[in-house]
Amino acid sequence: MQLIYKGNTSQSFPKITFPTGFSLSANEKHFSNTEESIKFLEEIIVSYVDKKRGEIDSPDQAALLIWDVFRGQKTEPVLEVLRRTTF
């Protein structure tokens, strides 16, 4: 799960310990953008797909990522991460 708080630093996060698998970030507008999309891919999606492939002992198993039409997910930097990632 990705949580995006309003602010510029980790001081913007609540003072609790989140479970493994949470991606925390903060930005002034409090919503996703290109940088947040890349962080989500790298910290959550890639590790999840790798874990599931290991569980089924199939390192070459294809994966499908379905996103909506949010423009922050269709920028060239995000597409580059997707190109270099084995899904």
Side-chain angles (χ1 to χ4, degrees):
M1 175 172 280
Q2 182 182 42
L3 299 173
I4 304 170
Y5 291 93
K6 184 172 183 165
N8 288 321
T9 69
S10 61
Q11 296 300 313
S12 303
F13 304 154
K15 305 295 184 226
I16 62 172
T17 302
F18 287 89
T20 302
F22 276 67
S23 174
L24 303 177
S25 20
N27 66 52
E28 275 304 311
K29 294 195 176 187
H30 189 245
F31 61 79
S32 190
N33 53 32
T34 296
E35 292 78 25
E36 302 297 346
S37 296
I38 290 171
K39 185 175 181 183
F40 181 68
L41 282 170
E42 293 176 343
E43 292 185 4
I44 302 295
I45 300 298
V46 171
S47 62
Y48 177 81
V49 169
D50 288 345
K51 177 183 173 190
K52 290 301 174 183
R53 286 176 175 154
E55 288 175 1
I56 63 171
D57 195 27
S58 183
D60 297 325
Q61 177 64 48
L64 175 66
L65 175 63
I66 300 174
W67 269 348
D68 58 16
V69 295
F70 172 60
R71 63 185 150 140
Q73 298 167 342
K74 299 187 296 182
T75 63
E76 190 54 39
V78 172
L79 296 175
E80 182 56 36
V81 170
L82 290 169
R83 283 186 204 105
R84 73 171 189 257
T85 304
T86 307
F87 282 111

